[in-house]
Amino acid sequence: MSDRDWPIRVMIAKVGLDGHDRGLKIIARGLRDAGMEVIYLGMRLTPDAVAAAAQEEDVDVVGISILSGAHMRLMSRVVKALEDLGVKERVLLVVGGTIPDADVGPLQETGVDGVFPVGTTIGDIVEFVRAGVPAPEPGP
């Protein structure tokens, strides 16, 4: 675990019609090994289903894996679904998969906080998440 006394809650999912989740399971293991709590929703989910689960599970991070090439269309829908439920402001939204370098900036402009193309190390993802998730406010 990190120097935090609370686990970062990460929800990961496959949106769209992708049928391959081996890489996402490897990422999940790496995040767990880094002391994070990981909720894996599964494959072939809609953006609305992901947003509803993020709200219900009160997660810190929403991670999406897309290998189909539909990342621009799908991630704009995920951002909108999170915004519609009032969740986007409090979660770190990241996407990984087969994402060309030319699409990184446009994805960030739509509201994606972090983009991790194929080849990104688990260590880089862990570091980004730790830096991007603030410590919770102390209770009364």
Side-chain angles (χ1 to χ4, degrees):
M1 184 157 335
S2 71
D3 57 348
R4 303 172 192 264
D5 60 353
W6 54 279
I8 295 172
R9 290 176 50 87
V10 181
M11 185 186 73
I12 58 175
K14 301 281 293 179
V15 176
L17 299 177
D18 281 349
H20 183 281
D21 67 348
R22 182 172 294 155
L24 189 58
K25 289 179 178 176
I26 292 169
I27 298 298
R29 169 77 73 155
L31 296 174
R32 281 187 189 118
D33 288 350
M36 298 180 199
E37 181 180 333
V38 179
I39 301 162
Y40 175 46
L41 290 183
M43 296 189 299
R44 299 183 184 98
L45 299 169
T46 66
D48 290 335
V50 169
Q55 182 181 46
E56 183 176 316
E57 294 290 343
D58 193 29
V59 295
D60 301 303
V61 180
V62 174
I64 305 294
S65 171
I66 300 176
L67 302 173
S68 67
H71 49 274
M72 294 301 298
R73 180 176 52 84
L74 289 171
M75 289 310 296
S76 65
R77 290 179 181 178
V78 170
V79 169
K80 181 174 181 341
L82 290 169
E83 288 173 345
D84 288 350
L85 291 180
V87 177
K88 176 61 180 95
E89 291 181 15
R90 66 169 181 78
V91 299
L92 189 69
L93 176 61
V94 298
V95 63
T98 51
I99 301 169
D101 291 340
D103 290 345
V104 172
L107 282 167
Q108 291 171 329
E109 289 171 14
T110 67
V112 176
D113 299 304
V115 182
F116 302 102
V118 170
T120 302
T121 68
I122 293 172
D124 286 345
I125 296 168
V126 167
E127 184 177 315
F128 183 88
V129 168
R130 284 185 177 153
V133 175
E137 295 292 323

